């Protein structure tokens, strides 16, 4: 994977990695539990880093819709709840697991698609490359900090969704 600092490219790379992990979680040949564990950490670290470092900065740009940014935060909450629901299923690959996985895929795919079309396109068009690189470095630092803290744990997700 290219070592870019552009925050738009970094977020897109995470989205593609999440799609790959969805494929692994759906595959009976893959280690679905390991894919879910990696996905849980990535999703939570990605969202928290966006909310801490990227979204507040983008709200300062007049050509980036604040409502879209706030909507993105709301969709992070929905994704976290869907992830928590999947993590609570005891048997990987069971009918309930497959059902909760599809709910998670739907929530995250919807958010990623919307974010790419609105927020990220707006950032690419309105934010200078140098500033996108600064935001990318801040995003990576926060994302890494969250990953090291085991942010995808059930306990942390319960705290995030307030349940």
């Amino acid at each position: 994977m290219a070592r870019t600092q552009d925050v738009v490219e970094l977020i897109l790379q995470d989205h593609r990695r999440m799609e790959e992990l969805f494929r692994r979680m759906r595959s009976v040949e893959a280690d679905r539990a390991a894919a879910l564990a990696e996905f849980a950490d990535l999703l939570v670290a990605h969202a928290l880093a966006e909310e801490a470092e990227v979204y507040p900065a983008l709200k300062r740009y007049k050509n980036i819709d604040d409502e879209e940014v706030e909507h993105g935060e709301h969709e992070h909450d929905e994704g976290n709840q869907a992830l928590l629901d999947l993590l609570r299923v005891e048997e990987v690959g069971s009918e309930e697991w497959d059902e909760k996985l599809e709910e998670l895929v739907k929530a995250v795919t919807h958010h990623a698609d919307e974010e790419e079309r609105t927020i990220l396109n707006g950032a690419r068009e309105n934010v200078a490359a140098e500033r996108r690189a600064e935001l990318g470095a801040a995003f990576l630092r926060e994302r890494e900090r969250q990953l090291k803290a085991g942010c995808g744990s059930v306990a942390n997700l319960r705290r995030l969704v307030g349940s």
Side-chain angles (χ1 to χ4, degrees):
M1 193 148 310
R3 294 305 306 159
T4 179
Q5 289 289 305
D6 185 321
V7 71
V8 173
E9 296 307 314
L10 292 168
I11 289 171
L12 290 173
Q13 285 176 9
D14 275 0
H15 288 177
R16 302 296 79 84
R17 179 65 186 153
M18 289 178 205
E19 290 166 0
E20 174 57 33
L21 290 167
F22 282 148
R23 284 189 284 281
R24 286 184 38 209
M25 286 187 275
R26 285 174 165 152
S27 169
V28 292
E29 285 88 39
D31 183 343
R32 296 158 100 178
L36 175 57
E38 181 182 339
F39 180 86
D41 282 339
L42 178 59
L43 180 70
V44 175
H46 174 93
L48 290 173
E50 282 181 340
E51 289 178 17
E53 301 296 341
V54 182
Y55 286 1
L58 294 181
K59 284 182 182 178
R60 296 189 195 107
Y61 287 85
K62 63 180 179 295
N63 293 327
I64 297 175
D65 189 340
D66 284 2
E67 284 181 21
E68 287 295 341
V69 175
E70 286 162 20
H71 182 64
E73 291 173 356
H74 173 70
E75 288 182 339
H76 287 168
D77 295 339
E78 291 175 355
N80 286 339
Q81 183 62 60
L83 176 58
L84 182 58
D85 291 346
L86 178 59
L87 288 169
R88 287 178 170 156
V89 177
E90 289 184 21
E91 188 185 336
V92 172
S94 66
E95 196 172 312
E96 182 187 12
W97 198 86
D98 288 342
E99 185 181 299
K100 297 298 183 193
L101 173 58
E102 292 314 309
E103 289 171 13
L104 176 63
V105 169
K106 185 177 175 189
V108 172
T109 302
H110 167 82
H111 168 67
D113 178 56
E114 210 167 69
E115 183 177 70
E116 289 174 18
R117 284 185 291 108
T118 59
I119 300 169
L120 297 184
N121 278 341
R124 191 179 278 128
E125 292 167 10
N126 297 291
V127 180
E130 186 178 304
R131 181 65 180 131
R132 289 197 317 267
E134 290 168 5
L135 289 173
F139 170 80
L140 282 177
R141 272 193 309 275
E142 180 61 18
R143 182 177 164 279
E144 196 56 35
R145 191 179 76 74
Q146 293 292 340
L147 286 170
K148 285 184 176 144
C151 61
S153 69
V154 169
N156 193 50
L157 275 158
R158 278 194 184 116
R159 189 182 59 73
L160 290 172
V161 301
S163 75

